[in-house]
Amino acid sequence: MRQAILDQNDRLAERNRGFFRARGLLVLNFLSSPGSGKTTFIREAVRALQPQLKAGVIVGDLATDNDARRLRESGAPVVQVTTGTVCHLEAEMVGRAVGQIDLNGLNLLIIENVGNLVCPASYDLGEDLRVVLLSVTEGEDKPLKYPPMFQSADVVIISKTDLSQACGYDRETALANIRRAAPKARIFETSAKTGQGMDDWCRFVAEQHRARSARDPLGP
Amino acid sequence: MRQAILDQNDRLAERNRGFFRARGLLVLNFLSSPGSGKTTFIREAVRALQPQLKAGVIVGDLATDNDARRLRESGAPVVQVTTGTVCHLEAEMVGRAVGQIDLNGLNLLIIENVGNLVCPASYDLGEDLRVVLLSVTEGEDKPLKYPPMFQSADVVIISKTDLSQACGYDRETALANIRRAAPKARIFETSAKTGQGMDDWCRFVAEQHRARSARDPLGP
């Protein structure tokens, strides 16, 4: 039963992927625990990227449109997906949300998944890159304790580095654990509050968009 | 399908509940996001309660026995449940874990659920009280964004209050949101690091144990 749901999701995710490639969109799926700072990070990144890339945002939440309202402060079009009791976004929900965004002129689509470090890992949404946030307040061992999420990450963003000292954050241990759980992931150390690491991140996104634009659109 | 799983879980949860009552155990189910500080809080609470109540602990994690090792520092017997890819504990897992603890002389059973603010809310484990932790680092709006979890809470513990200032934590907003989402929940404001609020919490647990011991064991 669960497998049938995942298989169906995987098919719809590939349909999304084909659609996104035809439209020249770089698509990022942001995942993390509740309260890791996804919304603030995305809002600041969308603002900083605006001169180079125009973004649309899809945001999933069980309830409230708090995040959608905060994300709109970036100036980007934002579509809210209210999942009710569903603990993750699915490809079909993203497909329906995409239909509500005017994609003309956009070249970046950011999906903020439901805050959950377990279940969303199983659901491909058709994204190009999976971006997993880990806040310095959460503890250095989370990459080892939530392997499916970190193993599937293309990028790990360490967030809220401005709180490192107050939390007694152990940077070396955290980095070693991320490298062990997600050996191929690019790592960024950031604070959306102070701006640390945001330039590096924006450069990376712009490079990814360029590299993909130059490629066979239906290739791997 | 999902409903059948939940119905089966609810039956096994009631069996657990009957067993726990026959043994005079007060059972607490601890739930929160990853990184809210459940393990540290439980370790310190078990230590502080030792003169009055002897605890056993069951801890669920997808992977690693990091938390079980940390909890054993309290001196309490600890059983680890490794869930693999399963995002929550189920009554059956708890039933099996209970069989691995020597219950003689214990009067408190603490269950540390998988770190997840969504799915574990749907699974009764046979507990007396649901205790939901919310760290001051997670943002004041989480009770509104994760209604099933907070609506089901008997107790909400605000954790890591030592970080309030560093995070710009807005206490009044957080308390208002908790009261809105969980109007009947008792609220404790705590820091396992500084000890703030731990005495109040221990008094509450001891009272709960006394009140239940005096009651018809198969009553509501």
Side-chain angles (χ1 to χ4, degrees):
Chain A
M1 173 69 180
R2 185 179 139 81
Q3 197 50 52
I5 292 172
L6 290 175
D7 287 348
Q8 170 70 354
N9 181 76
D10 283 352
R11 282 191 291 277
L12 292 176
E14 290 301 343
R15 186 192 290 179
N16 288 353
R17 190 165 278 118
F19 182 89
F20 297 148
R21 291 196 181 176
R23 300 290 313 214
L25 286 167
L26 175 69
V27 182
L28 310 179
N29 181 8
F30 274 72
L31 308 112
S32 81
S33 302
S36 299
K38 288 186 292 306
T39 306
T40 306
F41 183 90
I42 292 170
R43 186 189 63 199
E44 295 310 309
V46 166
R47 276 179 176 153
L49 281 161
Q50 234 141 28
Q52 311 166 66
L53 296 171
K54 300 289 176 220
V57 184
I58 294 171
V59 54
D61 264 314
L62 302 192
T64 84
D65 64 347
N66 292 1
D67 289 1
R69 280 188 286 110
R70 289 171 56 208
L71 288 163
R72 280 192 192 105
E73 295 165 7
S74 70
V78 177
V79 173
Q80 154 99 25
V81 180
T82 304
T83 65
T85 57
V86 178
C87 56
H88 57 269
L89 286 178
E90 297 182 7
E92 191 194 0
M93 301 173 189
V94 169
R96 269 185 278 130
V98 165
Q100 299 170 49
I101 303 180
D102 178 5
L103 299 174
N104 290 312
L106 299 190
N107 29 35
L108 179 61
L109 179 65
I110 295 184
I111 303 168
E112 181 179 342
N113 218 308
V114 176
N116 181 333
L117 210 47
V118 189
C119 318
S122 304
Y123 293 84
D124 182 11
L125 304 179
E127 69 270 17
D128 292 299
L129 295 172
R130 269 193 191 197
V131 182
V132 176
L133 262 80
L134 174 68
S135 134
V136 299
T137 66
E138 289 173 64
E140 298 79 5
D141 65 345
K142 293 301 167 289
L144 307 180
K145 289 180 61 189
Y146 297 84
M149 182 59 79
F150 283 87
Q151 281 161 9
S152 78
D154 299 297
V155 176
V156 175
I157 292 179
I158 300 170
S159 61
K160 305 194 190 182
T161 56
D162 54 291
L163 295 174
S164 299
Q165 211 174 350
C167 297
Y169 168 68
D170 177 346
R171 177 173 181 262
E172 291 313 313
T173 302
L175 289 172
N177 288 343
I178 294 169
R179 289 201 190 97
R180 207 168 126 197
K184 287 182 194 158
R186 281 285 300 261
I187 302 174
F188 294 88
E189 298 175 272
T190 69
S191 163
K193 207 173 195 175
T194 67
Q196 194 210 331
M198 298 303 279
D199 284 351
D200 284 349
W201 163 256
C202 290
R203 243 191 318 274
F204 169 77
V205 174
E207 271 165 26
Q208 289 289 316
H209 184 265
R210 259 196 311 278
R212 277 154 214 271
S213 305
R215 242 178 28 193
D216 178 5
L218 286 173
Chain B
M1 171 73 180
R2 187 180 137 80
Q3 198 49 52
I5 293 172
L6 290 176
D7 287 348
Q8 169 70 355
N9 182 75
D10 283 351
R11 282 191 292 276
L12 293 176
E14 291 301 344
R15 185 192 291 180
N16 289 352
R17 190 165 277 117
F19 182 91
F20 297 148
R21 292 197 181 176
R23 301 288 315 212
L25 287 166
L26 175 69
V27 182
L28 310 179
N29 181 7
F30 274 73
L31 307 114
S32 82
S33 301
S36 299
K38 288 186 293 306
T39 307
T40 306
F41 182 90
I42 292 170
R43 187 188 63 199
E44 296 310 309
V46 166
R47 277 179 176 153
L49 282 162
Q50 235 142 27
Q52 311 167 66
L53 295 172
K54 299 290 176 219
V57 184
I58 294 171
V59 53
D61 263 315
L62 302 193
T64 84
D65 63 348
N66 292 2
D67 288 1
R69 281 188 286 110
R70 288 171 58 209
L71 288 163
R72 280 192 192 104
E73 295 166 7
S74 69
V78 177
V79 174
Q80 154 99 26
V81 179
T82 304
T83 65
T85 56
V86 178
C87 55
H88 57 269
L89 286 177
E90 297 182 6
E92 190 195 1
M93 300 174 189
V94 169
R96 271 185 276 130
V98 166
Q100 299 171 50
I101 302 181
D102 177 5
L103 299 174
N104 290 312
L106 299 190
N107 28 35
L108 179 62
L109 179 65
I110 295 184
I111 303 169
E112 180 179 342
N113 219 309
V114 175
N116 181 335
L117 210 48
V118 189
C119 318
S122 305
Y123 292 84
D124 182 11
L125 304 179
E127 69 270 15
D128 292 297
L129 296 172
R130 269 194 191 195
V131 182
V132 176
L133 263 80
L134 174 69
S135 134
V136 299
T137 66
E138 288 172 66
E140 298 79 6
D141 64 346
K142 293 300 167 290
L144 306 181
K145 289 180 60 188
Y146 297 85
M149 181 60 77
F150 284 87
Q151 281 161 8
S152 78
D154 299 296
V155 176
V156 175
I157 291 179
I158 299 170
S159 60
K160 305 194 189 181
T161 56
D162 55 289
L163 294 174
S164 299
Q165 209 174 350
C167 296
Y169 168 68
D170 177 346
R171 178 173 180 264
E172 291 315 312
T173 303
L175 289 172
N177 288 343
I178 294 168
R179 288 201 191 99
R180 206 168 127 195
K184 287 181 194 160
R186 281 284 300 260
I187 302 175
F188 293 88
E189 299 175 270
T190 70
S191 163
K193 208 176 195 173
T194 67
Q196 194 211 329
M198 298 303 279
D199 285 351
D200 284 347
W201 163 254
C202 290
R203 243 191 316 275
F204 170 77
V205 174
E207 270 164 27
Q208 289 289 316
H209 184 265
R210 259 196 312 279
R212 278 155 213 271
S213 305
R215 244 185 16 201
D216 178 6
L218 287 174

mmCIF file of all heavy atoms in Angstrom, chain B residues 156-177:
data_model
loop_
_atom_site.group_PDB
_atom_site.id
_atom_site.type_symbol
_atom_site.label_atom_id
_atom_site.label_comp_id
_atom_site.label_asym_id
_atom_site.label_seq_id
_atom_site.Cartn_x
_atom_site.Cartn_y
_atom_site.Cartn_z
ATOM 1 N N VAL B 156 2.431 21.092 28.095
ATOM 2 C CA VAL B 156 3.412 21.659 27.165
ATOM 3 C C VAL B 156 4.592 22.162 27.987
ATOM 4 O O VAL B 156 4.411 22.940 28.932
ATOM 5 C CB VAL B 156 2.830 22.804 26.317
ATOM 6 C CG1 VAL B 156 3.921 23.452 25.462
ATOM 7 C CG2 VAL B 156 1.704 22.292 25.427
ATOM 8 N N ILE B 157 5.777 21.680 27.648
ATOM 9 C CA ILE B 157 6.983 22.133 28.328
ATOM 10 C C ILE B 157 7.751 23.039 27.377
ATOM 11 O O ILE B 157 8.150 22.613 26.282
ATOM 12 C CB ILE B 157 7.863 20.935 28.738
ATOM 13 C CG1 ILE B 157 7.157 20.149 29.852
ATOM 14 C CG2 ILE B 157 9.249 21.390 29.183
ATOM 15 C CD1 ILE B 157 7.903 18.933 30.314
ATOM 16 N N ILE B 158 7.914 24.276 27.755
ATOM 17 C CA ILE B 158 8.774 25.177 26.987
ATOM 18 C C ILE B 158 10.194 24.895 27.469
ATOM 19 O O ILE B 158 10.478 24.985 28.665
ATOM 20 C CB ILE B 158 8.374 26.643 27.222
ATOM 21 C CG1 ILE B 158 6.916 26.847 26.760
ATOM 22 C CG2 ILE B 158 9.318 27.585 26.485
ATOM 23 C CD1 ILE B 158 6.333 28.185 27.150
ATOM 24 N N SER B 159 11.078 24.529 26.551
ATOM 25 C CA SER B 159 12.430 24.110 26.930
ATOM 26 C C SER B 159 13.463 25.140 26.473
ATOM 27 O O SER B 159 13.163 26.019 25.669
ATOM 28 C CB SER B 159 12.744 22.730 26.341
ATOM 29 O OG SER B 159 12.665 22.781 24.935
ATOM 30 N N LYS B 160 14.660 25.001 27.010
ATOM 31 C CA LYS B 160 15.803 25.854 26.639
ATOM 32 C C LYS B 160 15.542 27.339 26.898
ATOM 33 O O LYS B 160 15.942 28.202 26.099
ATOM 34 C CB LYS B 160 16.192 25.657 25.156
ATOM 35 C CG LYS B 160 16.477 24.199 24.769
ATOM 36 C CD LYS B 160 17.168 24.117 23.410
ATOM 37 C CE LYS B 160 17.265 22.686 22.908
ATOM 38 N NZ LYS B 160 17.943 22.554 21.618
ATOM 39 N N THR B 161 14.867 27.647 28.008
ATOM 40 C CA THR B 161 14.582 29.059 28.290
ATOM 41 C C THR B 161 15.870 29.863 28.494
ATOM 42 O O THR B 161 15.859 31.087 28.357
ATOM 43 C CB THR B 161 13.691 29.233 29.545
ATOM 44 O OG1 THR B 161 14.336 28.582 30.642
ATOM 45 C CG2 THR B 161 12.316 28.643 29.344
ATOM 46 N N ASP B 162 16.984 29.175 28.789
ATOM 47 C CA ASP B 162 18.271 29.890 28.906
ATOM 48 C C ASP B 162 18.669 30.565 27.597
ATOM 49 O O ASP B 162 19.494 31.483 27.604
ATOM 50 C CB ASP B 162 19.369 28.926 29.389
ATOM 51 C CG ASP B 162 19.502 27.683 28.508
ATOM 52 O OD1 ASP B 162 18.610 26.813 28.528
ATOM 53 O OD2 ASP B 162 20.487 27.587 27.783
ATOM 54 N N LEU B 163 18.079 30.124 26.474
ATOM 55 C CA LEU B 163 18.420 30.734 25.176
ATOM 56 C C LEU B 163 17.427 31.823 24.756
ATOM 57 O O LEU B 163 17.533 32.362 23.642
ATOM 58 C CB LEU B 163 18.472 29.654 24.088
ATOM 59 C CG LEU B 163 19.590 28.604 24.239
ATOM 60 C CD1 LEU B 163 19.436 27.510 23.171
ATOM 61 C CD2 LEU B 163 20.974 29.247 24.107
ATOM 62 N N SER B 164 16.482 32.149 25.633
ATOM 63 C CA SER B 164 15.406 33.082 25.251
ATOM 64 C C SER B 164 15.939 34.386 24.678
ATOM 65 O O SER B 164 15.491 34.860 23.631
ATOM 66 C CB SER B 164 14.532 33.410 26.463
ATOM 67 O OG SER B 164 13.922 32.245 26.962
ATOM 68 N N GLN B 165 16.903 34.948 25.405
ATOM 69 C CA GLN B 165 17.370 36.271 24.987
ATOM 70 C C GLN B 165 18.142 36.196 23.663
ATOM 71 O O GLN B 165 17.899 36.986 22.751
ATOM 72 C CB GLN B 165 18.255 36.877 26.070
ATOM 73 C CG GLN B 165 18.174 38.388 26.051
ATOM 74 C CD GLN B 165 18.919 39.022 27.213
ATOM 75 O OE1 GLN B 165 19.342 38.339 28.141
ATOM 76 N NE2 GLN B 165 19.074 40.334 27.151
ATOM 77 N N ALA B 166 19.031 35.207 23.554
ATOM 78 C CA ALA B 166 19.829 35.046 22.333
ATOM 79 C C ALA B 166 18.938 34.864 21.110
ATOM 80 O O ALA B 166 19.288 35.281 20.003
ATOM 81 C CB ALA B 166 20.787 33.863 22.483
ATOM 82 N N CYS B 167 17.774 34.222 21.305
ATOM 83 C CA CYS B 167 16.869 33.936 20.180
ATOM 84 C C CYS B 167 15.860 35.044 19.931
ATOM 85 O O CYS B 167 15.088 34.952 18.969
ATOM 86 C CB CYS B 167 16.035 32.698 20.469
ATOM 87 S SG CYS B 167 17.002 31.237 20.617
ATOM 88 N N GLY B 168 15.785 36.013 20.811
ATOM 89 C CA GLY B 168 14.725 37.019 20.679
ATOM 90 C C GLY B 168 13.352 36.399 20.880
ATOM 91 O O GLY B 168 12.378 36.764 20.226
ATOM 92 N N TYR B 169 13.286 35.435 21.800
ATOM 93 C CA TYR B 169 12.042 34.693 22.079
ATOM 94 C C TYR B 169 10.991 35.627 22.660
ATOM 95 O O TYR B 169 11.268 36.391 23.588
ATOM 96 C CB TYR B 169 12.386 33.578 23.071
ATOM 97 C CG TYR B 169 11.227 32.873 23.712
ATOM 98 C CD1 TYR B 169 10.382 32.058 22.963
ATOM 99 C CD2 TYR B 169 10.991 32.976 25.084
ATOM 100 C CE1 TYR B 169 9.336 31.376 23.561
ATOM 101 C CE2 TYR B 169 9.942 32.296 25.691
ATOM 102 C CZ TYR B 169 9.117 31.503 24.925
ATOM 103 O OH TYR B 169 8.095 30.830 25.525
ATOM 104 N N ASP B 170 9.785 35.583 22.118
ATOM 105 C CA ASP B 170 8.678 36.429 22.566
ATOM 106 C C ASP B 170 7.756 35.578 23.448
ATOM 107 O O ASP B 170 6.875 34.874 22.954
ATOM 108 C CB ASP B 170 7.943 36.965 21.329
ATOM 109 C CG ASP B 170 6.730 37.812 21.699
ATOM 110 O OD1 ASP B 170 6.283 37.789 22.872
ATOM 111 O OD2 ASP B 170 6.213 38.493 20.788
ATOM 112 N N ARG B 171 7.973 35.671 24.767
ATOM 113 C CA ARG B 171 7.290 34.796 25.712
ATOM 114 C C ARG B 171 5.770 34.945 25.653
ATOM 115 O O ARG B 171 5.039 33.959 25.646
ATOM 116 C CB ARG B 171 7.802 35.112 27.129
ATOM 117 C CG ARG B 171 7.154 34.319 28.215
ATOM 118 C CD ARG B 171 7.826 34.567 29.564
ATOM 119 N NE ARG B 171 7.166 33.784 30.593
ATOM 120 C CZ ARG B 171 6.207 34.253 31.408
ATOM 121 N NH1 ARG B 171 5.821 35.506 31.325
ATOM 122 N NH2 ARG B 171 5.650 33.457 32.298
ATOM 123 N N GLU B 172 5.286 36.192 25.615
ATOM 124 C CA GLU B 172 3.831 36.396 25.676
ATOM 125 C C GLU B 172 3.138 35.782 24.473
ATOM 126 O O GLU B 172 2.087 35.149 24.589
ATOM 127 C CB GLU B 172 3.499 37.895 25.791
ATOM 128 C CG GLU B 172 3.893 38.513 27.129
ATOM 129 C CD GLU B 172 3.495 37.649 28.340
ATOM 130 O OE1 GLU B 172 2.327 37.207 28.370
ATOM 131 O OE2 GLU B 172 4.340 37.397 29.220
ATOM 132 N N THR B 173 3.742 35.964 23.286
ATOM 133 C CA THR B 173 3.152 35.401 22.073
ATOM 134 C C THR B 173 3.161 33.872 22.131
ATOM 135 O O THR B 173 2.172 33.217 21.778
ATOM 136 C CB THR B 173 3.930 35.885 20.831
ATOM 137 O OG1 THR B 173 3.903 37.314 20.835
ATOM 138 C CG2 THR B 173 3.342 35.374 19.543
ATOM 139 N N ALA B 174 4.281 33.312 22.581
ATOM 140 C CA ALA B 174 4.362 31.848 22.660
ATOM 141 C C ALA B 174 3.295 31.306 23.602
ATOM 142 O O ALA B 174 2.558 30.367 23.255
ATOM 143 C CB ALA B 174 5.749 31.424 23.124
ATOM 144 N N LEU B 175 3.151 31.914 24.784
ATOM 145 C CA LEU B 175 2.166 31.434 25.751
ATOM 146 C C LEU B 175 0.746 31.573 25.198
ATOM 147 O O LEU B 175 -0.079 30.660 25.338
ATOM 148 C CB LEU B 175 2.305 32.196 27.078
ATOM 149 C CG LEU B 175 3.561 31.872 27.897
ATOM 150 C CD1 LEU B 175 3.686 32.833 29.085
ATOM 151 C CD2 LEU B 175 3.547 30.421 28.402
ATOM 152 N N ALA B 176 0.482 32.693 24.535
ATOM 153 C CA ALA B 176 -0.859 32.894 23.959
ATOM 154 C C ALA B 176 -1.148 31.832 22.898
ATOM 155 O O ALA B 176 -2.256 31.281 22.841
ATOM 156 C CB ALA B 176 -0.971 34.298 23.363
ATOM 157 N N ASN B 177 -0.164 31.522 22.080
ATOM 158 C CA ASN B 177 -0.373 30.521 21.030
ATOM 159 C C ASN B 177 -0.565 29.120 21.614
ATOM 160 O O ASN B 177 -1.384 28.339 21.119
ATOM 161 C CB ASN B 177 0.804 30.520 20.041
ATOM 162 C CG ASN B 177 0.802 31.760 19.158
ATOM 163 O OD1 ASN B 177 -0.218 32.459 19.056
ATOM 164 N ND2 ASN B 177 1.922 32.040 18.521
#
